[in-house]
Amino acid sequence: MQQHIDTYDFKGKKAIVRVDFNVPLDEEFNITDDTRIRAALPTLKKVLAEGGSLILMSHLGRPKGVDAKFSLKHIVDHVSECLGVPVQFADDCQKADAQAAALKPGEVLMLENLRFYAEEEGKPRGLADDATEEEKKAAKKAVKESQKDFVKKLASYADCYINDAFGTAHRAHASTALIAGYFPQDKMFGYLMEKEIAAIENVLKNARRPFTAIIGGSKVSSKLAVLENLLGKVDNLIICGGMGYTFIKAEGGSIGDSLHEDDLIPQAKEIMLKAQDLGVNVSLSVQTRVTQEFTNDTPVKVVPSHAIPDGWEGMDCGPASIENWARIILASKTILWNGPAGVFEMPNFAVGTEKIAGLVAQATAHGAYTLVGGGDSVAAVTKMGYADKVSYVSTGGGAMLEAIEGKDLPGIAAIRD
Ligand code: AMP
């Protein structure tokens, strides 16, 4: 049975918490952005304040085995500073029995990077490039088999399990999903997970209308499932950014040298037809800022999005597009935004994305529920200073994207089952 962190009795209990401490480090192993650590603090402080002790587990990077470069020891001091208590370190996540057993209320132990073991992800490593199908199958079977002991060991350290790692909730890994099975009566979400789940439900299940999705970014191929799932839910679908040109081409427009995916034109047509059937208003960019080179400092022209000259490519949306989208955004009661409206990494082509961020913030101030989730739109609103002017900014790129696709996330299902 799923428990709730607010009502669970942590007194004298050891909580093993899956956190997402996969933070960016510079070459001297300094943390360059500790957002993920700070996001987990409310959960960790709650357990300590209630008389429990903590065993923290996370991955860091994509090691292929034990690799000092990806050691979580680099972040122990910072976590300790953030929590205001010393943090002990177990330099092998599978050999922490004694340290875990000795933990007293109020104490914290951090386990070494879970992905030093292939069992965390349950995927075989070190297979030869020319491995046969049989060999691949056998290796997979072997790692799945040893994964059972791996999970069992982690579970043996604690009395209860908390999953607060939304960033990995879309993975059915040992620490994100399988371990929950060892705590049938003592498993729960942390506060960050609670917030992310509430945000997903606010848009996908309980949206107030009109509901507008703003979907941008580079490729239709990476957003097809998102578009398909949203079609049955939204009133307006704004398609912007590089992916918009595939749709404009599908409508018969000339898009010059703009980014597009010819093989997805049939799907783009299908999406627009389905939207028509469902009464969803699809709004494409009507005006584009184009250049002849993919660089920041190069001459810019503003042209109709359906008539981009050859040799020119769309880098950002133009003011007429923003004008159209402003009317839609400001009339919305629920907004989901995923993906930038232009090449926002280049200051000259961040204008459209920044205008959208401003409009979403304005809609929020007028009472709309607004969620920015998945990937680069999060980086954009944060960089542009709008993160605290929208209702919620998701911390999980891939996980949020899969949730918007309508998938059940294993990390969530394992707690609820
Ligand atoms: P995604 O990861 O699919 O959300 O895409 C984000 C990326 O889309 C960012 O790196 C943007 O620079 C890129 N992008 C947005 N608009 C365009 C465009 N018009 N042309 C090329 N790339 C774009």
Side-chain angles (χ1 to χ4, degrees):
M1 193 185 74
Q2 180 186 346
Q3 299 287 345
H4 197 282
I5 184 166
D6 278 334
T7 49
Y8 190 79
D9 181 9
F10 288 105
K11 204 168 167 44
K13 300 229 174 86
K14 296 183 174 105
I16 188 158
V17 190
R18 179 49 158 106
V19 285
D20 179 6
F21 283 175
N22 182 29
V23 290
L25 300 171
D26 66 15
E27 283 179 3
E28 268 96 51
F29 300 109
N30 298 306
I31 299 168
T32 53
D33 179 356
D34 72 348
T35 309
R36 287 178 171 158
I37 295 176
R38 282 186 287 107
L41 292 179
T43 295
L44 307 185
K45 288 185 172 170
K46 169 76 177 169
V47 174
L48 296 178
E50 298 294 325
S53 55
L54 290 168
I55 298 155
L56 309 181
M57 54 176 178
S58 178
H59 75 284
L60 177 68
R62 292 168 187 241
K64 298 272 174 284
V66 178
D67 183 344
K69 204 167 78 192
F70 296 105
S71 173
L72 280 166
K73 72 177 180 221
H74 303 302
I75 72 162
V76 169
D77 288 348
H78 190 75
V79 173
S80 172
E81 224 170 89
C82 290
L83 273 176
V85 295
V87 173
Q88 303 166 43
F89 187 64
D91 58 14
D92 184 334
C93 73
Q94 289 290 285
K95 294 188 181 136
D97 312 61
Q99 282 168 289
L103 272 186
K104 294 193 196 60
E107 292 186 344
V108 185
L109 171 68
M110 180 144 74
L111 305 182
E112 180 56 291
N113 196 340
L114 297 163
R115 290 197 190 166
F116 282 1
Y117 284 86
E119 284 78 4
E120 163 62 1
E121 295 176 274
K123 281 192 267 178
R125 284 184 183 154
L127 266 173
D129 288 345
D130 58 355
T132 62
E133 281 310 309
E134 283 294 294
E135 284 166 337
K136 285 185 194 162
K137 238 168 128 180
K140 201 167 170 191
K141 197 170 162 215
V143 76
K144 288 281 175 207
E145 206 46 51
S146 54
Q147 191 179 40
K148 291 177 192 156
D149 290 334
F150 179 84
V151 184
K152 201 169 167 186
K153 174 62 84 174
L154 295 175
S156 73
Y157 301 149
D159 304 300
C160 61
Y161 168 64
I162 304 178
N163 190 349
D164 210 20
F166 182 71
T168 47
H170 56 318
R171 306 283 183 220
H173 292 168
S175 67
T176 59
L178 303 183
I179 191 172
Y182 286 87
F183 300 95
Q185 307 299 327
D186 303 276
K187 54 180 181 173
M188 67 208 89
F189 296 123
Y191 289 122
L192 175 64
M193 282 286 263
E194 293 271 357
K195 277 201 290 189
E196 296 278 355
I197 293 167
I200 295 166
E201 292 187 346
N202 278 343
V203 295
L204 294 187
K205 289 204 178 133
N206 312 312
R208 283 183 296 136
R209 298 190 172 278
F211 174 15
T212 297
I214 307 166
I215 307 296
S218 57
K219 290 192 169 166
V220 182
S221 47
S222 62
K223 305 276 165 88
L224 257 188
V226 167
L227 294 172
E228 275 163 7
N229 189 42
L230 288 175
L231 271 186
K233 301 184 188 297
V234 299
D235 301 294
N236 303 295
L237 180 60
I238 293 174
I239 300 180
C240 55
M243 62 182 273
Y245 300 109
T246 301
F247 285 85
I248 293 167
K249 190 166 180 189
E251 278 191 338
S254 305
I255 57 166
D257 293 355
S258 304
L259 185 73
H260 67 285
E261 291 162 283
D262 277 331
D263 53 329
L264 287 177
I265 285 182
Q267 271 101 327
K269 283 184 179 161
E270 217 171 279
I271 285 172
M272 288 193 285
L273 279 176
K274 197 166 166 202
Q276 219 172 18
D277 281 351
L278 292 167
V280 173
N281 166 38
V282 175
S283 183
L284 302 178
S285 171
V286 293
Q287 197 184 50
T288 294
R289 300 178 67 230
V290 296
T291 62
Q292 286 177 298
E293 278 177 54
F294 194 78
T295 56
N296 188 56
D297 301 305
T298 184
V300 179
K301 280 204 302 194
V302 177
V303 300
S305 303
H306 286 73
I308 300 177
D310 285 343
W312 293 76
E313 69 176 300
M315 298 288 276
D316 197 5
C317 52
S321 302
I322 293 294
E323 225 171 274
N324 284 347
W325 294 338
R327 272 194 295 276
I328 298 172
I329 292 171
L330 295 177
S332 301
K333 291 270 184 296
T334 304
I335 298 171
L336 166 65
W337 179 17
N338 170 287
V343 187
F344 78 101
E345 296 92 337
M346 301 182 192
N348 286 340
F349 308 108
V351 181
T353 303
E354 187 152 12
K355 294 264 186 224
I356 290 182
L359 289 164
V360 173
Q362 217 177 316
T364 317
H366 293 152
Y369 181 83
T370 57
L371 166 62
V372 181
D376 280 350
S377 38
V378 170
V381 292
T382 308
K383 190 168 136 192
M384 293 167 181
Y386 286 99
D388 57 357
K389 296 185 176 69
V390 298
S391 307
Y392 192 68
V393 179
S394 174
T395 60
M400 182 49 81
L401 210 61
E402 289 200 16
I404 304 170
E405 287 172 2
K407 287 191 188 145
D408 253 348
L409 306 187
I412 294 176
I415 297 283
R416 286 184 169 162
D417 279 346

